[in-house]
Amino acid sequence: MDVTKKKLEDAAAKNIITLHQADALYEFLAAQSQDVPRFTFTHVLYYLGGLIAIGAMTLFMNLGWESFGGAGIFFISLLYAGVGFKFSNSFATKSMAIPAGICATFVVCLTPLAIYGLQQWLGFWPDESVYKDYHRYIKWHWLYMELGTLAVGAIVAWKYKYPFLIMPIAVTLWYMTMDITAMISGGDITWELRKLVSMYSGLLMISLAFWIDIRSHKKADYAFWVYIFGVIAFWGGLSSQHSDSELSKFIYFCITLLMIGVGVLLVRRVFVVFGALGSCGYLGYLASDVFKDSWLFPVALTAIGFGIIYLGVLWQKHEKSITEKSRLLLPDPLRELLEAKS
């Protein structure tokens, strides 16, 4: 529910609560949600600044830094990390969890750059590739950087416990699946293999996110970023599969509908968004290929659409009783998770 000050004042006007209680309740709810990311101007500035700083040391890194040499890159990374920790601790003492978490995440994102510099310095770098290729190409020797990032990320996340710290860990896990595949296949990773690896690694990440969600939903939303990159990897790999079978395409449509249902159940919009994209893609395929000359198809689709709306009406009428009865059949951890999402 979207609880606003106006709604609380409206409740006070109807004598449900007093105006004093409405003001006190609003102040309490505002204090409770100050560390939850929201679409406010302050939070947009926090994340915009943080992502620019992180991007500068990762995605937008250019060849200019190669002039510092391995030792220079390594020690500059350590210096930047020290500054990041300093800012993070400073924000934490002021109870500003979001900027503190962003600064701590910046430190974790520096890890692959520091490891790259260390390998260059010690002469362990195996080829002519440079750091800026890390986010663009699949190579087996990125594994050292990825393992180091996971180790540092786990330590920093354990110490600071900010949900945003899971973001670089989730990205690294995604990268790692591709690089391990390249290592196993001897560097010759075909497009078909990439699609399969993406799909199955996405499923594993979604399972991991669900486990994290069950374990930590009472503390903070640590599963958010793992869900995002897991769904992207799974949906991307699934949607890239090629098949001439209409049955396979219909199964794909059913999977996307299931994603929408899972997203609604877990209150995870990423499932709904990508499930809806996949469903629309399948319906577009039916309209343009299978039933392109049929005037009945749009009519049938319209009828299905109104039928779904009617199902929504029925669900709204009986939602409470259906939900209560169905949750009694679920294991306690899952029931607690769904109740927390309600």
Side-chain angles (χ1 to χ4, degrees):
M1 289 180 286
D2 183 19
V3 180
T4 64
K5 191 170 185 178
K6 175 68 167 54
K7 290 180 179 178
L8 293 176
E9 289 174 348
D10 290 343
K14 293 186 176 181
N15 296 319
I16 298 172
I17 55 176
T18 67
L19 189 59
H20 176 72
Q21 288 174 327
D23 291 337
L25 182 57
Y26 178 77
E27 293 298 327
F28 171 77
L29 294 175
Q32 290 289 309
S33 63
Q34 65 178 351
D35 294 333
V36 178
R38 291 174 295 149
F39 197 70
T40 64
F41 189 65
T42 301
H43 287 192
V44 168
L45 290 179
Y46 284 158
Y47 282 102
L48 178 61
L51 291 175
I52 288 174
I54 290 170
M57 294 293 104
T58 54
L59 296 173
F60 308 128
M61 177 65 67
N62 56 39
L63 292 174
W65 271 52
E66 299 298 322
S67 62
F68 292 116
I73 291 173
F74 176 70
F75 285 111
I76 292 173
S77 298
L78 291 184
L79 177 63
Y80 269 56
V83 172
F85 275 131
K86 178 69 176 176
F87 276 122
S88 183
N89 291 329
S90 176
F91 286 129
T93 57
K94 298 174 184 177
S95 298
M96 301 173 71
I98 290 179
I102 292 171
C103 291
T105 302
F106 171 74
V107 174
V108 176
C109 292
L110 283 169
T111 304
L113 179 62
I115 294 174
Y116 167 76
L118 183 62
Q119 286 183 280
Q120 288 275 21
W121 182 22
L122 299 178
F124 292 151
W125 196 248
D127 60 18
E128 298 300 316
S129 58
V130 293
Y131 174 75
K132 73 170 188 175
D133 297 334
Y134 174 61
H135 300 282
R136 304 179 187 182
Y137 302 110
I138 297 172
K139 292 180 179 289
W140 69 266
H141 60 261
W142 302 139
L143 284 173
Y144 300 108
M145 299 157 68
E146 291 158 352
L147 289 170
T149 302
L150 290 178
V152 172
I155 293 170
V156 175
W158 170 76
K159 179 174 174 57
Y160 288 89
K161 295 180 174 61
Y162 297 124
F164 193 51
L165 282 165
I166 305 300
M167 185 271 289
I169 295 175
V171 173
T172 302
L173 286 172
W174 188 15
Y175 285 4
M176 203 170 176
T177 57
M178 294 297 180
D179 294 329
I180 289 176
T181 304
M183 182 178 69
I184 294 174
S185 63
D188 183 21
I189 177 169
T190 64
W191 181 242
E192 290 299 321
L193 183 57
R194 289 187 189 191
K195 291 188 287 189
L196 287 174
V197 170
S198 179
M199 185 172 69
Y200 289 116
S201 63
L203 270 178
L204 288 174
M205 289 179 70
I206 290 170
S207 301
L208 173 63
F210 184 65
W211 178 79
I212 294 172
D213 214 359
I214 289 178
R215 293 290 299 272
S216 65
H217 69 272
K218 294 180 181 178
K219 301 173 184 176
D221 191 2
Y222 294 107
F224 176 81
W225 291 102
V226 188
Y227 271 128
I228 283 184
F229 289 104
V231 170
I232 291 173
F234 170 72
W235 181 85
L238 181 69
S239 300
S240 300
Q241 302 294 322
H242 175 72
S243 174
D244 293 326
S245 167
E246 292 301 327
L247 177 61
S248 297
K249 290 181 172 65
F250 179 70
I251 291 173
Y252 168 81
F253 176 60
C254 292
I255 292 173
T256 59
L257 292 179
L258 180 62
M259 288 176 66
I260 294 174
V262 169
V264 172
L265 189 66
L266 298 178
V267 196
R268 294 289 176 179
R269 293 180 180 88
V270 64
F271 285 95
V272 179
V273 170
F274 283 95
L277 288 174
S279 301
C280 290
Y282 176 75
L283 293 176
Y285 158 74
L286 291 181
S288 62
D289 289 67
V290 180
F291 299 108
K292 62 180 179 180
D293 297 322
S294 172
W295 64 269
L296 278 175
F297 179 71
V299 175
L301 207 57
T302 302
I304 292 171
F306 282 114
I308 293 172
I309 292 173
Y310 181 65
L311 283 177
V313 173
L314 293 177
W315 174 262
Q316 185 176 11
K317 280 172 127 181
H318 306 289
E319 179 179 7
K320 185 176 180 181
S321 61
I322 294 173
T323 301
E324 288 176 352
K325 290 177 182 177
S326 60
R327 285 183 180 174
L328 290 174
L329 305 175
L330 299 175
D332 289 342
L334 182 55
R335 184 166 64 248
E336 290 176 5
L337 172 64
L338 296 180
E339 287 173 353
K341 299 287 186 181
S342 300

